[in-house]
Amino acid sequence: MNNDMMKMMPGLPPELFWTALTASAFLAIATLLLPQDSKPSLRLIRGWRFNLLTIPLIGKFARSRKFQFTLQFLPVVLLFVIIATGLFGIQSSLNLAPVLTWTIWWALLIFDIVLIGRSWCLICPWYAIASWLRRLAFWRRTNEPISLNRPWPKSLKNLYLAIGLFLTLTWLELGFNVTSNPQVTALLALLMTTLVVIPALVYDRMAFCHYGCLIGRICGLYSLVAPVEIRPTDRNICKSCATRDCRTGSDSGYPCPTDLDLGTLQKNTYCLNCSECIKSCPHDNVAYNIRPFASDLREMTDVRKDEALLAVVLLAMTSFHGLTMTPAWDHFLEMAKGMAGVSYLTAFSLGMLVLLACFIISFRAVGYIITAIEPRPKASFRSHDHFAYCLIPLALFYHLAHNGAHFIKEASALLIALSDPFDWGWDLFGYAQMKVMPLLPAKFTFGLQTGLILIGFLLSLRICRTTLRLRYPKRKQQLLPGLVVVAALLGYQLFNLWLLYQPMSMRSGL
């Protein structure tokens, strides 16, 4: 590990660690003992909804053709700033490129998802550049004259490409200390631009955003927890609609970039929140709703194996991010190098593969155990991949707790980087000589981390109860499978709590 990455942040105090551990065990036991409703139903109570588009100012802005361009303009400018400072600035962790990318954006992205769902895709600079080139327009409705509109390969109509790219980025980010390397950060930004733009000019719609984008797929799965959604105001109107303009487009709006039909839209996973359906719907039947948290997960009745695998991978890699910043990981690498006589990168890669395999094997083991002990489930719930969706809140809220601590500790580095973006010795705003200071007291940070990880565990347990309720019609049938799943969730929770208990290296090294 580089010397400038060695500054350590303390972990949770012992009293908070043991309190969170005890609370987690209590919640797990309560989940198994609390009674379920006697009449399970596939159609759960959806809860309240409030359509933000009924607010005149918001509705008028969202229906404007300049709406998305207005929100995309600044992120595109910042993307070019990151590329320029990364390529031409001094190669240090004080350069604006790594600070803005990894300390600010990468940390805040997860908070953005949990509060505003797929809003990143709405303002994504890579999507913006690709769509502007494809359409030869910033906001006007054109016939998208540039794209060849070839069909996306059938073999890639899944999330496995995105999972592979996500694992590759994790390997690069942590194995090569990309978070402190301005040039590599800029090159990754250029690579991502290429990955989005070329498919947009070759294939129909925005197929890479639908299937291959690692950031979009993370946002998509996590956004099942988000308290916002785009849905039809009245599904009966959609049933009687003959033109399906939300999907095919109209004179007012482009076709849905991910080929969704609003009338059958049930979850946030693949909607990019681009707002084109709001403009193209001839019946003004589109709602942008505020809703209860995790509504999609509580109503989940259909599963996909690729989504289930991504859920397990997300949990594994969020935990892996935390593990690689602990002294225990450094000790493991030194021991592995000494015993096997391999390089740092080889030991790191093997460690990453072993941890990933442990999470996948443990989840599959849960499925095999349930198969051996469960009563016959309902026909539509035979797949044990349903239980993978219970992992999403667990991964998301550990991610929030981990990123939140780094952001609070390191975000003030942005003032230094803005004052001297290329690290050339400038002092544009008078902060170049400032030391990085935490935004909030340590007690607040620790309390926030503890609260977040407990909220995530509670949501995972609630999704577990819902899944059990849908799979097995009788309370007695739920007990043994529930015990296995809850025990696994508690095991993952305890590992993440242990990670928060460890001291961790600061990402920026400032």
mmCIF file with all atom_site columns, all heavy atoms in Angstrom, residues 13 80 106 116 123 158 200 237 246 268 307 368 370 415 489:
data_model
loop_
_atom_site.group_PDB
_atom_site.id
_atom_site.type_symbol
_atom_site.label_atom_id
_atom_site.label_alt_id
_atom_site.label_comp_id
_atom_site.label_asym_id
_atom_site.label_entity_id
_atom_site.label_seq_id
_atom_site.pdbx_PDB_ins_code
_atom_site.Cartn_x
_atom_site.Cartn_y
_atom_site.Cartn_z
_atom_site.occupancy
_atom_site.B_iso_or_equiv
_atom_site.pdbx_formal_charge
_atom_site.auth_seq_id
_atom_site.auth_comp_id
_atom_site.auth_asym_id
_atom_site.auth_atom_id
_atom_site.pdbx_PDB_model_num
ATOM 1   N N   . PRO A 1 13  ? -16.599 2.433   17.954  1.00 0.00 ? 13  PRO A N   1
ATOM 2   C CA  . PRO A 1 13  ? -16.237 2.173   19.354  1.00 0.00 ? 13  PRO A CA  1
ATOM 3   C C   . PRO A 1 13  ? -16.825 0.837   19.816  1.00 0.00 ? 13  PRO A C   1
ATOM 4   O O   . PRO A 1 13  ? -17.875 0.413   19.313  1.00 0.00 ? 13  PRO A O   1
ATOM 5   C CB  . PRO A 1 13  ? -16.876 3.342   20.112  1.00 0.00 ? 13  PRO A CB  1
ATOM 6   C CG  . PRO A 1 13  ? -17.141 4.384   19.085  1.00 0.00 ? 13  PRO A CG  1
ATOM 7   C CD  . PRO A 1 13  ? -17.384 3.663   17.802  1.00 0.00 ? 13  PRO A CD  1
ATOM 8   N N   . PHE A 1 80  ? -15.385 16.313  -18.477 1.00 0.00 ? 80  PHE A N   1
ATOM 9   C CA  . PHE A 1 80  ? -14.232 16.816  -19.242 1.00 0.00 ? 80  PHE A CA  1
ATOM 10  C C   . PHE A 1 80  ? -13.180 17.434  -18.323 1.00 0.00 ? 80  PHE A C   1
ATOM 11  O O   . PHE A 1 80  ? -11.972 17.340  -18.597 1.00 0.00 ? 80  PHE A O   1
ATOM 12  C CB  . PHE A 1 80  ? -14.696 17.819  -20.294 1.00 0.00 ? 80  PHE A CB  1
ATOM 13  C CG  . PHE A 1 80  ? -15.361 17.181  -21.480 1.00 0.00 ? 80  PHE A CG  1
ATOM 14  C CD1 . PHE A 1 80  ? -16.705 17.394  -21.746 1.00 0.00 ? 80  PHE A CD1 1
ATOM 15  C CD2 . PHE A 1 80  ? -14.653 16.350  -22.328 1.00 0.00 ? 80  PHE A CD2 1
ATOM 16  C CE1 . PHE A 1 80  ? -17.326 16.796  -22.831 1.00 0.00 ? 80  PHE A CE1 1
ATOM 17  C CE2 . PHE A 1 80  ? -15.256 15.750  -23.418 1.00 0.00 ? 80  PHE A CE2 1
ATOM 18  C CZ  . PHE A 1 80  ? -16.599 15.972  -23.672 1.00 0.00 ? 80  PHE A CZ  1
ATOM 19  N N   . TRP A 1 106 ? -18.211 8.976   -6.217  1.00 0.00 ? 106 TRP A N   1
ATOM 20  C CA  . TRP A 1 106 ? -18.384 7.549   -5.910  1.00 0.00 ? 106 TRP A CA  1
ATOM 21  C C   . TRP A 1 106 ? -19.024 7.361   -4.539  1.00 0.00 ? 106 TRP A C   1
ATOM 22  O O   . TRP A 1 106 ? -19.782 6.427   -4.320  1.00 0.00 ? 106 TRP A O   1
ATOM 23  C CB  . TRP A 1 106 ? -17.034 6.842   -5.977  1.00 0.00 ? 106 TRP A CB  1
ATOM 24  C CG  . TRP A 1 106 ? -17.116 5.341   -6.044  1.00 0.00 ? 106 TRP A CG  1
ATOM 25  C CD1 . TRP A 1 106 ? -16.620 4.457   -5.132  1.00 0.00 ? 106 TRP A CD1 1
ATOM 26  C CD2 . TRP A 1 106 ? -17.704 4.537   -7.073  1.00 0.00 ? 106 TRP A CD2 1
ATOM 27  N NE1 . TRP A 1 106 ? -16.861 3.160   -5.521  1.00 0.00 ? 106 TRP A NE1 1
ATOM 28  C CE2 . TRP A 1 106 ? -17.534 3.189   -6.726  1.00 0.00 ? 106 TRP A CE2 1
ATOM 29  C CE3 . TRP A 1 106 ? -18.370 4.835   -8.264  1.00 0.00 ? 106 TRP A CE3 1
ATOM 30  C CZ2 . TRP A 1 106 ? -17.998 2.127   -7.502  1.00 0.00 ? 106 TRP A CZ2 1
ATOM 31  C CZ3 . TRP A 1 106 ? -18.833 3.781   -9.054  1.00 0.00 ? 106 TRP A CZ3 1
ATOM 32  C CH2 . TRP A 1 106 ? -18.642 2.452   -8.669  1.00 0.00 ? 106 TRP A CH2 1
ATOM 33  N N   . ILE A 1 116 ? -33.086 9.065   -4.360  1.00 0.00 ? 116 ILE A N   1
ATOM 34  C CA  . ILE A 1 116 ? -33.720 9.509   -5.609  1.00 0.00 ? 116 ILE A CA  1
ATOM 35  C C   . ILE A 1 116 ? -33.669 8.435   -6.685  1.00 0.00 ? 116 ILE A C   1
ATOM 36  O O   . ILE A 1 116 ? -33.884 8.699   -7.869  1.00 0.00 ? 116 ILE A O   1
ATOM 37  C CB  . ILE A 1 116 ? -33.073 10.812  -6.137  1.00 0.00 ? 116 ILE A CB  1
ATOM 38  C CG1 . ILE A 1 116 ? -32.629 11.732  -5.001  1.00 0.00 ? 116 ILE A CG1 1
ATOM 39  C CG2 . ILE A 1 116 ? -34.076 11.592  -6.989  1.00 0.00 ? 116 ILE A CG2 1
ATOM 40  C CD1 . ILE A 1 116 ? -31.964 13.011  -5.453  1.00 0.00 ? 116 ILE A CD1 1
ATOM 41  N N   . ILE A 1 123 ? -29.006 12.126  -15.334 1.00 0.00 ? 123 ILE A N   1
ATOM 42  C CA  . ILE A 1 123 ? -28.006 13.167  -15.569 1.00 0.00 ? 123 ILE A CA  1
ATOM 43  C C   . ILE A 1 123 ? -26.671 12.603  -16.037 1.00 0.00 ? 123 ILE A C   1
ATOM 44  O O   . ILE A 1 123 ? -25.698 13.355  -16.181 1.00 0.00 ? 123 ILE A O   1
ATOM 45  C CB  . ILE A 1 123 ? -27.785 14.003  -14.288 1.00 0.00 ? 123 ILE A CB  1
ATOM 46  C CG1 . ILE A 1 123 ? -27.159 13.139  -13.182 1.00 0.00 ? 123 ILE A CG1 1
ATOM 47  C CG2 . ILE A 1 123 ? -29.090 14.619  -13.816 1.00 0.00 ? 123 ILE A CG2 1
ATOM 48  C CD1 . ILE A 1 123 ? -26.736 13.921  -11.951 1.00 0.00 ? 123 ILE A CD1 1
ATOM 49  N N   . ASN A 1 158 ? -28.641 -9.923  -20.917 1.00 0.00 ? 158 ASN A N   1
ATOM 50  C CA  . ASN A 1 158 ? -28.620 -10.305 -19.510 1.00 0.00 ? 158 ASN A CA  1
ATOM 51  C C   . ASN A 1 158 ? -27.644 -9.365  -18.811 1.00 0.00 ? 158 ASN A C   1
ATOM 52  O O   . ASN A 1 158 ? -27.102 -8.440  -19.425 1.00 0.00 ? 158 ASN A O   1
ATOM 53  C CB  . ASN A 1 158 ? -28.208 -11.771 -19.353 1.00 0.00 ? 158 ASN A CB  1
ATOM 54  C CG  . ASN A 1 158 ? -26.943 -12.091 -20.119 1.00 0.00 ? 158 ASN A CG  1
ATOM 55  O OD1 . ASN A 1 158 ? -25.892 -11.499 -19.883 1.00 0.00 ? 158 ASN A OD1 1
ATOM 56  N ND2 . ASN A 1 158 ? -27.040 -13.019 -21.084 1.00 0.00 ? 158 ASN A ND2 1
ATOM 57  N N   . ALA A 1 200 ? -24.143 2.839   -28.646 1.00 0.00 ? 200 ALA A N   1
ATOM 58  C CA  . ALA A 1 200 ? -25.274 3.716   -28.961 1.00 0.00 ? 200 ALA A CA  1
ATOM 59  C C   . ALA A 1 200 ? -25.328 4.049   -30.441 1.00 0.00 ? 200 ALA A C   1
ATOM 60  O O   . ALA A 1 200 ? -26.419 4.243   -31.008 1.00 0.00 ? 200 ALA A O   1
ATOM 61  C CB  . ALA A 1 200 ? -25.187 5.007   -28.145 1.00 0.00 ? 200 ALA A CB  1
ATOM 62  N N   . ILE A 1 237 ? -55.800 2.856   -18.350 1.00 0.00 ? 237 ILE A N   1
ATOM 63  C CA  . ILE A 1 237 ? -55.588 3.709   -19.531 1.00 0.00 ? 237 ILE A CA  1
ATOM 64  C C   . ILE A 1 237 ? -54.516 3.095   -20.420 1.00 0.00 ? 237 ILE A C   1
ATOM 65  O O   . ILE A 1 237 ? -54.640 3.078   -21.653 1.00 0.00 ? 237 ILE A O   1
ATOM 66  C CB  . ILE A 1 237 ? -55.203 5.135   -19.100 1.00 0.00 ? 237 ILE A CB  1
ATOM 67  C CG1 . ILE A 1 237 ? -56.375 5.810   -18.381 1.00 0.00 ? 237 ILE A CG1 1
ATOM 68  C CG2 . ILE A 1 237 ? -54.757 5.965   -20.303 1.00 0.00 ? 237 ILE A CG2 1
ATOM 69  C CD1 . ILE A 1 237 ? -56.054 7.198   -17.861 1.00 0.00 ? 237 ILE A CD1 1
ATOM 70  N N   . CYS A 1 246 ? -45.226 5.497   -25.152 1.00 0.00 ? 246 CYS A N   1
ATOM 71  C CA  . CYS A 1 246 ? -44.192 5.479   -24.111 1.00 0.00 ? 246 CYS A CA  1
ATOM 72  C C   . CYS A 1 246 ? -43.025 4.590   -24.528 1.00 0.00 ? 246 CYS A C   1
ATOM 73  O O   . CYS A 1 246 ? -41.873 4.842   -24.155 1.00 0.00 ? 246 CYS A O   1
ATOM 74  C CB  . CYS A 1 246 ? -44.788 4.997   -22.786 1.00 0.00 ? 246 CYS A CB  1
ATOM 75  S SG  . CYS A 1 246 ? -45.497 3.331   -22.863 1.00 0.00 ? 246 CYS A SG  1
ATOM 76  N N   . ASN A 1 268 ? -38.179 -0.703  -10.648 1.00 0.00 ? 268 ASN A N   1
ATOM 77  C CA  . ASN A 1 268 ? -37.281 0.369   -11.095 1.00 0.00 ? 268 ASN A CA  1
ATOM 78  C C   . ASN A 1 268 ? -36.066 -0.102  -11.872 1.00 0.00 ? 268 ASN A C   1
ATOM 79  O O   . ASN A 1 268 ? -35.355 0.710   -12.460 1.00 0.00 ? 268 ASN A O   1
ATOM 80  C CB  . ASN A 1 268 ? -36.769 1.152   -9.879  1.00 0.00 ? 268 ASN A CB  1
ATOM 81  C CG  . ASN A 1 268 ? -37.811 2.071   -9.284  1.00 0.00 ? 268 ASN A CG  1
ATOM 82  O OD1 . ASN A 1 268 ? -38.838 2.346   -9.895  1.00 0.00 ? 268 ASN A OD1 1
ATOM 83  N ND2 . ASN A 1 268 ? -37.563 2.540   -8.073  1.00 0.00 ? 268 ASN A ND2 1
ATOM 84  N N   . GLU A 1 307 ? -29.992 -11.210 -12.067 1.00 0.00 ? 307 GLU A N   1
ATOM 85  C CA  . GLU A 1 307 ? -30.191 -10.221 -11.009 1.00 0.00 ? 307 GLU A CA  1
ATOM 86  C C   . GLU A 1 307 ? -29.810 -10.799 -9.650  1.00 0.00 ? 307 GLU A C   1
ATOM 87  O O   . GLU A 1 307 ? -29.216 -10.114 -8.813  1.00 0.00 ? 307 GLU A O   1
ATOM 88  C CB  . GLU A 1 307 ? -31.648 -9.757  -10.985 1.00 0.00 ? 307 GLU A CB  1
ATOM 89  C CG  . GLU A 1 307 ? -32.051 -8.894  -12.158 1.00 0.00 ? 307 GLU A CG  1
ATOM 90  C CD  . GLU A 1 307 ? -33.496 -8.433  -12.088 1.00 0.00 ? 307 GLU A CD  1
ATOM 91  O OE1 . GLU A 1 307 ? -34.196 -8.791  -11.112 1.00 0.00 ? 307 GLU A OE1 1
ATOM 92  O OE2 . GLU A 1 307 ? -33.926 -7.721  -13.001 1.00 0.00 ? 307 GLU A OE2 1
ATOM 93  N N   . TYR A 1 368 ? -29.460 -24.982 -1.181  1.00 0.00 ? 368 TYR A N   1
ATOM 94  C CA  . TYR A 1 368 ? -29.445 -26.450 -1.088  1.00 0.00 ? 368 TYR A CA  1
ATOM 95  C C   . TYR A 1 368 ? -30.058 -26.922 0.230   1.00 0.00 ? 368 TYR A C   1
ATOM 96  O O   . TYR A 1 368 ? -30.779 -27.926 0.274   1.00 0.00 ? 368 TYR A O   1
ATOM 97  C CB  . TYR A 1 368 ? -28.017 -26.967 -1.218  1.00 0.00 ? 368 TYR A CB  1
ATOM 98  C CG  . TYR A 1 368 ? -27.427 -26.786 -2.595  1.00 0.00 ? 368 TYR A CG  1
ATOM 99  C CD1 . TYR A 1 368 ? -26.116 -26.334 -2.756  1.00 0.00 ? 368 TYR A CD1 1
ATOM 100 C CD2 . TYR A 1 368 ? -28.178 -27.050 -3.740  1.00 0.00 ? 368 TYR A CD2 1
ATOM 101 C CE1 . TYR A 1 368 ? -25.569 -26.147 -4.023  1.00 0.00 ? 368 TYR A CE1 1
ATOM 102 C CE2 . TYR A 1 368 ? -27.632 -26.874 -4.998  1.00 0.00 ? 368 TYR A CE2 1
ATOM 103 C CZ  . TYR A 1 368 ? -26.333 -26.428 -5.144  1.00 0.00 ? 368 TYR A CZ  1
ATOM 104 O OH  . TYR A 1 368 ? -25.798 -26.247 -6.389  1.00 0.00 ? 368 TYR A OH  1
ATOM 105 N N   . ILE A 1 370 ? -32.313 -25.336 2.029   1.00 0.00 ? 370 ILE A N   1
ATOM 106 C CA  . ILE A 1 370 ? -33.765 -25.118 1.961   1.00 0.00 ? 370 ILE A CA  1
ATOM 107 C C   . ILE A 1 370 ? -34.425 -26.207 1.127   1.00 0.00 ? 370 ILE A C   1
ATOM 108 O O   . ILE A 1 370 ? -35.499 -26.714 1.474   1.00 0.00 ? 370 ILE A O   1
ATOM 109 C CB  . ILE A 1 370 ? -34.067 -23.719 1.385   1.00 0.00 ? 370 ILE A CB  1
ATOM 110 C CG1 . ILE A 1 370 ? -33.632 -22.641 2.373   1.00 0.00 ? 370 ILE A CG1 1
ATOM 111 C CG2 . ILE A 1 370 ? -35.555 -23.568 1.081   1.00 0.00 ? 370 ILE A CG2 1
ATOM 112 C CD1 . ILE A 1 370 ? -33.792 -21.233 1.851   1.00 0.00 ? 370 ILE A CD1 1
ATOM 113 N N   . LEU A 1 415 ? -12.155 21.153  -1.543  1.00 0.00 ? 415 LEU A N   1
ATOM 114 C CA  . LEU A 1 415 ? -11.779 22.571  -1.531  1.00 0.00 ? 415 LEU A CA  1
ATOM 115 C C   . LEU A 1 415 ? -10.321 22.749  -1.927  1.00 0.00 ? 415 LEU A C   1
ATOM 116 O O   . LEU A 1 415 ? -9.971  23.674  -2.661  1.00 0.00 ? 415 LEU A O   1
ATOM 117 C CB  . LEU A 1 415 ? -12.031 23.159  -0.140  1.00 0.00 ? 415 LEU A CB  1
ATOM 118 C CG  . LEU A 1 415 ? -13.490 23.239  0.315   1.00 0.00 ? 415 LEU A CG  1
ATOM 119 C CD1 . LEU A 1 415 ? -13.571 23.735  1.751   1.00 0.00 ? 415 LEU A CD1 1
ATOM 120 C CD2 . LEU A 1 415 ? -14.297 24.135  -0.616  1.00 0.00 ? 415 LEU A CD2 1
ATOM 121 N N   . LEU A 1 489 ? -28.438 -14.255 6.759   1.00 0.00 ? 489 LEU A N   1
ATOM 122 C CA  . LEU A 1 489 ? -28.445 -12.791 6.791   1.00 0.00 ? 489 LEU A CA  1
ATOM 123 C C   . LEU A 1 489 ? -27.717 -12.270 8.023   1.00 0.00 ? 489 LEU A C   1
ATOM 124 O O   . LEU A 1 489 ? -26.965 -11.283 7.944   1.00 0.00 ? 489 LEU A O   1
ATOM 125 C CB  . LEU A 1 489 ? -29.886 -12.270 6.781   1.00 0.00 ? 489 LEU A CB  1
ATOM 126 C CG  . LEU A 1 489 ? -30.697 -12.486 5.496   1.00 0.00 ? 489 LEU A CG  1
ATOM 127 C CD1 . LEU A 1 489 ? -32.124 -12.015 5.687   1.00 0.00 ? 489 LEU A CD1 1
ATOM 128 C CD2 . LEU A 1 489 ? -30.055 -11.760 4.314   1.00 0.00 ? 489 LEU A CD2 1
#
